[in-house]
DNA sequence: CAAGAAATTGAAAAAATTATCAAACAAAAT
DNA sequence: ATTTTGTTTGATAATTTTTTCAATTTCTTG
């Protein structure tokens, strides 16, 4: 048995360390090329050779792969480790930043929403001077006491970091009057921004759930009653201020008009990246994917497992 | 620049951790297959991915490769580390044992010489029960006070470990009388052994130098005068009790008749493995290779460097 | 701001690797 | 001893990867 390991070591050294090809090794060994290929497979299998990817952020390759394949995503990144909500979200944002840095380039339009994921991500972005990058605020303002979670400020800060321009929506996230709504969306700057939001290349967003802790409610834009009502009508999450059910069908919010791009805008982007952490987001995340709003997920291990579990149950 | 590293990490994770092929990655990235191939190259180059071969004996892949290619060897193994003679030889023997264990199989004839390398190697061999393995003593006996360096005992012990048979030469390494020589080589058992020695599959041997410490002289088979004379006639080393010059031409030893297989026997074996350590062996090693007596070297770093240096000088 | 140099890219071709399959071999059971 | 069963092996085919090369883009430098 030791003979076998010695052989695996020998072949692996020749292949990986000395860089010979399999047919040269076959000649040395006096065997055939396919046999060398099999030996190298075994060496990997048995842990004689190990391939390490040096990344500052450790990911779970199995989960990433399953998530991507099972949900039909363009890409899925699952950060390893068992973190609490805050820490998990931070790690996801680091991974999202890593991903974003490889996608962003000159002449791209970046659509953003709001929330803590976006804030953390925005902080992480390395300043760089791109040409003709436009950051578009896709949802109206969330006038909480904490302006740095707000799309308005985030778009400004992100544009600054990327050396680009920004398109803002100087309006609240929801209005209750249809007249006001009509006026606002016709307002030239807002109209222009919303139009741009329909043609973004990269969208970065958190994924809204409908638990009682949702920022939307805390900020006073949604009452507990509204929330219960939405849940009663099947809603499980929201994006761009639009709630949707588990299949991604929009559930209208009665008596509120959202000053934001329609959900359709999410489908137009080449990259629509959802960043989210912790199990309680699972339903919303799965629905966002089922609706085709999100084609790329950056999540933590817990959430990934929960989402896959839910997806399984659906059958 | 960080963008590039992030991209290399991303591609490497997809390729090595998730096992996607390059064209799947190209689709995700929105680029071409060759670009992915180039990125993976870069990732290796930049140390983003590292391939580790877990071997109990660390080798120097660069030196191994250079030695093999520059000297046209079947295989070359250079053990890493800066050891003194004793320790270096031990490490070489461990590596040689590793190599040997991958080569030896049923129905093979193994030719051995004598010396400390062979003794250490013999101690390391794992007992195993091969079928029809024959261990052939290729050189007569070296009657020093230390019988365990002697081919006679080594052949016996090695055969025992491999579960095979042995063929011995019950005669001294050299005799001074031609009559005695003729009688001995015609002696049935010796004749049979010498005949077998001409058709070995694997030869294991140290490589003899002509420094004043050579065991041959210490054992009294060679006087200092003989040695100086040989050196004067161009000899730089010896194998199977036959001295040779730097190009591998045999230098006859005047007044001595060797009871051993001819140098030609070395060329017949598929594997003729020379085990040697320390710089002072360099000339002898290079000559043994130049003469085509050795097709595989197992040496330490110091010796490898020195041999390569000498080989370079020859041009 | 244009012109040339250098680097980057993808299409096509070449090379290398992996998968498939049937034959040879070995082990086990009759 | 002989058949059966399960491995191992290498030839062939299919796939994947790498190289080559021409075209394009990007970066310098006058």
């Amino acid at each position: 048995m030791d003979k076998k390991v010695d052989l695996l070591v020998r072949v692996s050294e020749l292949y990986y360390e000395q860089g010979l090809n399999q047919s040269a090794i076959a000649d040395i060994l006096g065997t055939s090329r396919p046999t060398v290929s099999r030996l190298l497979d075994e060496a990997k299998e048995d842990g004689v050779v190990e391939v390490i990817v040096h990344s500052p952020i450790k990911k779970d390759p199995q989960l990433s792969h399953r998530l991507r394949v099972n949900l039909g995503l363009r890409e899925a990144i699952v950060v390893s480790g068992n973190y609490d909500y805050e820490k998990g979200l931070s790690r996801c944002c680091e991974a999202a930043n890593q991903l974003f840095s490889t996608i962003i380039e000159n002449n791209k339009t970046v659509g953003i929403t709001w929330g803590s994921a976006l804030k953390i991500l925005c902080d992480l972005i390395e300043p760089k001077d791109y040409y003709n990058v436009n950051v578009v605020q896709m949802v109206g303002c969330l006038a909480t006491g904490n302006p740095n979670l707000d799309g308005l400020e985030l778009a400004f800060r992100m544009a600054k970091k990327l050396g680009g321009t920004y398109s803002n929506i100087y309006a609240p996230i929801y209005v209750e009057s249809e007249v006001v709504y009509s006026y606002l969306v016709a307002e030239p700057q807002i109209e222009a921004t919303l139009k741009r939001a329909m043609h973004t290349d990269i969208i970065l967003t958190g994924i809204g759930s409908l638990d009682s802790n949702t920022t939307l409610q805390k900020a006073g834009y949604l009452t507990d009653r509204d929330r219960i009502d939405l849940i009663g009508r099947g809603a499980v999450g929201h994006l761009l201020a639009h709630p949707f059910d588990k299949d991604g069908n929009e559930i209208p919010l009665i008596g509120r008009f959202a000053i934001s791009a329609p959900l359709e805008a999410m489908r137009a982007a080449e990259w629509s990246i959802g960043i989210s952490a912790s199990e309680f987001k699972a339903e919303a995340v799965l629905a966002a994917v089922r609706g085709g709003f999100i084609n790329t997920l950056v999540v933590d291990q817990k959430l990934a497992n929960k989402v896959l579990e839910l997806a399984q149950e659906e059958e």
Side-chain angles (χ1 to χ4, degrees), chain A:
Chain A
M1 202 69 263
D2 207 23
K3 177 199 180 101
K4 195 54 178 281
V5 174
D6 283 346
L7 182 59
L8 297 183
V9 167
R10 186 149 79 96
V11 171
S12 300
E13 285 173 342
L14 288 168
Y15 190 76
Y16 292 105
E17 297 188 340
Q18 295 194 42
L20 303 201
N21 65 26
Q22 298 186 357
S23 79
I25 297 172
D27 288 347
I28 291 173
L29 258 58
T31 183
S32 71
R33 289 162 268 285
T35 299
V36 175
S37 176
R38 279 185 276 253
L39 289 171
L40 289 168
D41 271 357
E42 255 184 278
K44 266 190 233 163
E45 190 69 31
D46 297 2
V48 170
V49 296
E50 194 186 347
V51 179
I52 297 171
V53 179
H54 293 283
S55 167
I57 302 150
K58 282 278 157 280
K59 326 234 167 58
D60 186 318
Q62 273 77 38
L63 273 177
S64 302
H65 188 265
R66 284 176 54 204
L67 208 56
R68 184 166 51 73
V69 173
N70 289 2
L71 304 189
L73 294 165
R74 175 165 189 176
E75 190 151 355
I77 295 169
V78 178
V79 301
S80 293
N82 199 1
Y83 304 109
D84 61 28
Y85 177 67
E86 291 282 324
K87 189 70 183 166
L89 192 61
S90 282
R91 314 264 42 217
C92 289
C93 290
E94 287 169 35
N97 181 41
Q98 209 181 41
L99 171 65
F100 180 65
S101 87
T102 70
I103 298 172
I104 182 66
E105 58 183 5
N106 295 339
N107 304 307
K108 290 287 173 193
T109 301
V110 180
I112 64 162
T113 60
W114 53 273
S116 38
L118 264 291
K119 183 216 173 285
I120 300 168
L121 174 57
C122 192
D123 290 343
L124 290 168
I125 290 172
E126 291 279 322
K128 191 104 191 253
D129 199 20
Y130 289 101
Y131 168 75
N132 190 30
V133 160
N134 183 225
V135 180
V136 180
Q137 178 188 353
M138 298 182 82
V139 197
C141 299
L142 181 87
T144 61
N146 194 354
N148 58 24
L149 291 184
D150 200 87
L152 186 80
E153 173 159 337
L154 287 170
F156 169 76
R157 284 181 48 219
M158 193 176 291
K160 199 122 198 187
K161 286 221 174 175
L162 301 174
T165 57
Y166 54 96
S167 304
N168 276 338
I169 297 175
Y170 282 97
I173 192 165
Y174 291 120
V175 293
E176 294 183 16
S177 145
E178 189 166 4
V179 176
V180 175
Y181 170 76
S182 303
Y183 171 80
L184 285 173
V185 296
E187 208 274 323
Q189 169 148 11
I190 296 176
E191 192 187 16
T193 299
L194 290 176
K195 199 170 164 196
R196 287 183 173 219
M198 296 304 294
H199 306 284
T200 56
D201 298 299
I202 306 165
I203 293 174
L204 295 166
T205 183
I207 294 170
S209 59
L210 285 172
D211 62 291
S212 55
N213 263 329
T214 184
T215 317
L216 229 43
Q217 184 171 345
K218 283 196 284 187
Y221 282 100
L222 214 64
T223 64
D224 201 45
R225 195 177 174 149
D226 293 326
R227 198 173 59 80
I228 304 288
D229 172 59
L230 280 170
I231 291 172
R233 286 186 289 135
V236 298
H238 60 90
L239 278 172
L240 301 176
H242 305 295
F244 47 79
D245 71 12
K246 69 180 177 50
D247 299 314
N249 303 307
E250 187 164 353
I251 306 288
L253 182 54
I254 291 156
R256 296 275 194 302
F257 298 89
I259 317 286
S260 70
L263 279 172
E264 202 50 49
M266 300 291 301
R267 295 204 182 95
E270 267 198 69
W271 290 97
S272 50
I273 302 170
I275 305 160
S276 195
S278 252
E279 289 152 307
F280 72 90
K281 293 275 195 178
E283 263 193 297
V285 167
L286 185 58
V289 173
R290 293 288 193 228
F293 310 133
I294 292 292
N295 71 18
T296 299
L297 279 177
V298 183
V299 298
D300 67 346
Q301 241 174 21
K302 281 185 196 166
L303 179 51
N305 276 314
K306 188 74 183 178
V307 169
L308 282 167
E309 196 184 296
L310 281 180
Q312 212 81 63
E313 277 174 20
E314 281 186 9
E315 283 132 43

